[in-house]
Amino acid sequence: MATIDKDLLAIQEMRDAVSQANAAQAAYMQYSQQQVDSIVKAVADAAFKEAERLGKMAVEETGMGIQNHKKMKNEVASRDVYEDIKDLKTVGVIGTDRLKKVTEIASPFGVIAGIVPTTNPTSTAIFKTLISLKTRNGLVLSPHPYAVKCTKEALDICRVAAENAGAPEGLLQCLTMSSMEATQQLMKHPQIHLILATGGGALVKAAYSSGKPAYGVGPGNVPAYIEKSANIQKAARQLVQSKSFDNGTICATEQAIIVDKAIAEQVLAELKKQHAYILNAEEKLKMEKLISPVPGKVNPQIVGKSAVSLAHSIGIMVPEETKVLVGLETMIGKNIPFSLEKLSPIFAFYTVEDSTEAKQVMVDLLNIGGRGHSCSIHTENAALAEQFSLDLPVSRIVVNTLSSIGAVGGTTGLAPSFTLGCGTFGGNITSDNITARHLLNIKRMAYGIKDVEVPAPEFDLHPVVENIKAQAPSLDTEVVQQIVDQVLKQITLQTK
């Protein structure tokens, strides 16, 4: 019996999905704002109800993260995103400037290719579905190979709710065969109109290289500075909570703590109270080999694992209540494991003389990975926070809160989002938290409001006259006729 080529099947599945999504989106374009809004609400409600089950599925399938933390992410992706976009006008005339006589009209992009990461496989699927539906776009999701089942289940919950609320069948699609070739071809498909890529650097680069408009987001390597004026107890508590949230799988999670020398001992003591384990020199060496067996590359096996399991895996006995592991570090570089983005509950800890040195350490950490993403500052000095915000090459500066949840809009006033732009600092087109506002073409109808008199052309016959004068003594009738023809030709040209 002949074997079936899985890549060919995956490519056919992708082509069918894109075709169906386009047909459905053409119908969806005719829906009113009221129809769109009722569909979006139905989907948000359905996803919110299934937040816990989807969180459980994600942990079971990927082996990453913490079930009740995944539930929280699913709740943010459904309820919080819905609350942020529910009143947004996305159909027809969405704005009028009566003074300037300009009318703004919303138009969808078409069909969006949504790339979904293994770290947030269900919450990202819900988020991308809601913002696509709100803007009358179709969606084809490409899940991570290690998270196909839970991503498809999240999409199916949204799809059924959308169709029951009146959405056209086929508008929401999810690929199931986890083929890199199919994903690459999806991003280049002529009927895909935008790529919304959340994932690793190589995948985001592929999105930008596809020839399609793309929102790709870069990696995070978030530095957190505890300045000497900070509330140390609160800062330590928030850092441990943030780093241990879903075992560090959010790209906006802090990766390194930078502390003023004057308060370093106090900070370490508070971290211990919050169940951080400070590695000794020998333990740190073991952990470095686990973090990065190959210089410059983080071991994917550590992503989303608990602090206790990571420690035990290399023979380090830590208390069962340990939430994060901390390694004291002085160096920064691609070959320095603790200074990389670890996507797990492992912190680097740097001691600095003052805020000037702290800023340089933060820049150095961002430069090895994470430029444009986010940074965290704990301080009671508002002027210092503002100065750091002016100087650092990041798109989000979260102050006195958890970066992991704050940067995605959970504890701050930022737009709730699971796709965080890094601006040109990180090679991205936007520095925004991507949301429904980014999935619309805005057409503008503009009336004339100023009368302009277009002046008649001025004829410069000076060169011709000078030519006649120069030739006057020797002119014969034929030459005169040629000059007259030349003058008439110039006048004709200038009046066209």
Side-chain angles (χ1 to χ4, degrees):
M1 184 177 175
T3 56
I4 300 172
D5 189 312
K6 288 184 179 177
D7 268 343
L8 288 177
L9 283 175
I11 289 166
Q12 189 59 53
E13 179 194 42
M14 178 274 294
R15 288 173 178 164
D16 291 344
V18 173
S19 176
Q20 289 171 37
N22 269 274
Q25 194 271 331
Y28 194 44
M29 277 187 71
Q30 309 308 315
Y31 280 42
S32 68
Q33 185 75 68
Q34 189 176 3
Q35 288 174 303
V36 166
D37 290 348
S38 65
I39 290 166
V40 170
K41 185 175 190 314
V43 170
D45 288 346
F48 185 81
K49 282 178 188 171
E50 296 285 5
E52 184 171 0
R53 183 170 70 86
L54 288 172
K56 184 171 185 250
M57 280 187 73
V59 172
E60 286 175 352
E61 186 175 2
T62 66
M64 296 177 184
I66 300 168
Q67 185 177 318
N68 60 340
H69 294 182
K70 296 279 190 202
K71 173 179 179 265
M72 282 179 66
K73 287 203 239 185
N74 292 333
E75 289 173 345
V76 169
S78 52
R79 179 190 56 204
D80 291 16
V81 169
Y82 172 73
E83 289 297 326
D84 183 57
I85 67 174
K86 67 179 182 180
D87 296 325
L88 186 69
K89 285 186 177 180
T90 57
V91 178
V93 174
I94 60 171
T96 303
D97 186 326
R98 298 194 184 283
L99 187 64
K100 293 183 178 179
K101 299 185 84 171
V102 173
T103 300
E104 293 184 333
I105 299 158
S107 180
F109 283 171
V111 174
I112 293 166
I115 314 300
V116 182
T118 184
T119 47
N120 305 301
T122 55
S123 50
T124 304
I126 295 165
F127 161 70
K128 290 185 177 179
T129 298
L130 283 177
I131 64 173
S132 297
L133 287 172
K134 178 68 176 179
T135 46
R136 294 183 298 162
N137 290 297
L139 177 67
V140 179
L141 286 185
S142 178
H144 190 279
Y146 298 158
V148 174
K149 288 180 184 174
C150 62
T151 299
K152 185 177 186 302
E153 183 63 18
L155 191 280
D156 281 346
I157 288 164
C158 295
R159 178 183 56 76
V160 169
E163 290 174 4
N164 286 343
E169 286 186 24
L171 189 63
L172 303 174
Q173 300 281 337
C174 183
L175 307 185
T176 63
M177 295 188 170
S178 62
S179 156
M180 184 54 73
E181 178 64 24
T183 299
Q184 296 279 5
Q185 288 203 27
L186 170 69
M187 292 194 286
K188 293 180 179 179
H189 195 290
Q191 286 187 299
I192 289 294
H193 306 97
L194 177 83
I195 302 165
L196 198 51
T198 313
L203 191 140
V204 169
K205 189 176 180 182
Y208 278 124
S209 304
S210 68
K212 298 282 182 182
Y215 289 122
V217 297
N221 191 25
V222 179
Y225 176 37
I226 307 181
E227 191 261 339
K228 61 180 181 291
S229 71
N231 180 328
I232 295 171
Q233 185 179 11
K234 182 182 175 186
R237 183 180 75 250
Q238 289 183 334
L239 280 163
V240 171
Q241 284 179 336
S242 185
K243 187 64 164 168
S244 59
F245 182 76
D246 206 29
N247 287 338
T249 52
I250 295 181
C251 56
T253 302
E254 302 90 339
Q255 300 296 327
I257 304 172
I258 298 102
V259 181
D260 283 344
K261 187 178 179 181
I263 59 168
E265 290 304 319
Q266 288 174 265
V267 171
L268 285 169
E270 282 298 330
L271 287 171
K272 287 177 186 175
K273 286 181 188 176
Q274 298 297 326
H275 305 298
Y277 181 85
I278 316 300
L279 300 162
N280 64 32
E282 185 185 343
E283 291 167 338
K284 179 171 173 277
L285 278 172
K286 285 184 179 180
M287 190 57 65
E288 285 174 350
K289 289 172 185 170
L290 179 65
I291 293 169
S292 185
V294 178
K297 292 187 178 178
V298 171
N299 178 3
Q301 296 302 315
I302 71 169
V303 174
K305 300 297 192 295
S306 72
V308 172
S309 68
L310 289 170
H312 288 181
S313 72
I314 51 173
I316 300 173
M317 293 300 110
V318 299
E320 286 300 317
E321 64 271 17
T322 299
K323 291 184 177 178
V324 301
L325 306 169
V326 180
L328 305 183
E329 190 54 85
T330 57
M331 296 185 291
I332 297 169
K334 293 255 184 200
N335 61 335
I336 309 297
F338 271 84
S339 67
L340 302 173
E341 182 192 25
K342 298 164 285 295
L343 289 174
S344 54
I346 305 170
F347 267 130
F349 188 97
Y350 295 88
T351 302
V352 294
E353 288 293 332
D354 53 25
S355 61
T356 302
E357 188 183 353
K359 193 188 297 180
Q360 189 57 55
V361 168
M362 294 173 92
V363 169
D364 290 346
L365 286 164
L366 291 163
N367 282 344
I368 64 164
R371 275 180 66 86
H373 205 291
S374 308
C375 77
S376 160
I377 302 173
H378 294 266
T379 182
E380 295 303 309
N381 184 337
L384 179 136
E386 185 172 316
Q387 192 59 51
F388 270 52
S389 300
L390 289 168
D391 295 344
L392 289 170
V394 290
S395 303
R396 279 156 293 277
I397 301 92
V398 297
V399 183
N400 298 336
T401 190
L402 297 74
S403 181
S404 59
I405 305 175
V408 301
T411 62
T412 65
L414 298 174
S417 176
F418 284 78
T419 301
L420 309 182
C422 298
T424 55
F425 307 112
N428 297 170
I429 193 62
T430 182
S431 55
D432 293 346
N433 283 16
I434 303 294
T435 183
R437 298 164 187 81
H438 298 87
L439 303 187
L440 283 173
N441 290 306
I442 308 294
K443 302 192 283 189
R444 290 171 178 85
M445 178 178 69
Y447 280 81
I449 57 172
K450 302 170 189 172
D451 285 332
V452 176
E453 285 295 327
V454 180
E458 294 179 0
F459 301 121
D460 183 8
L461 299 180
H462 181 73
V464 178
V465 173
E466 289 302 311
N467 188 31
I468 293 172
K469 285 180 181 177
Q471 299 183 47
S474 57
L475 290 181
D476 59 23
T477 307
E478 189 176 340
V479 172
V480 171
Q481 186 59 53
Q482 287 176 355
I483 293 171
V484 170
D485 290 345
Q486 188 179 349
V487 171
L488 290 172
K489 184 178 179 182
Q490 184 159 345
I491 291 171
T492 303
L493 286 173
Q494 292 196 30
T495 53
K496 281 185 179 177

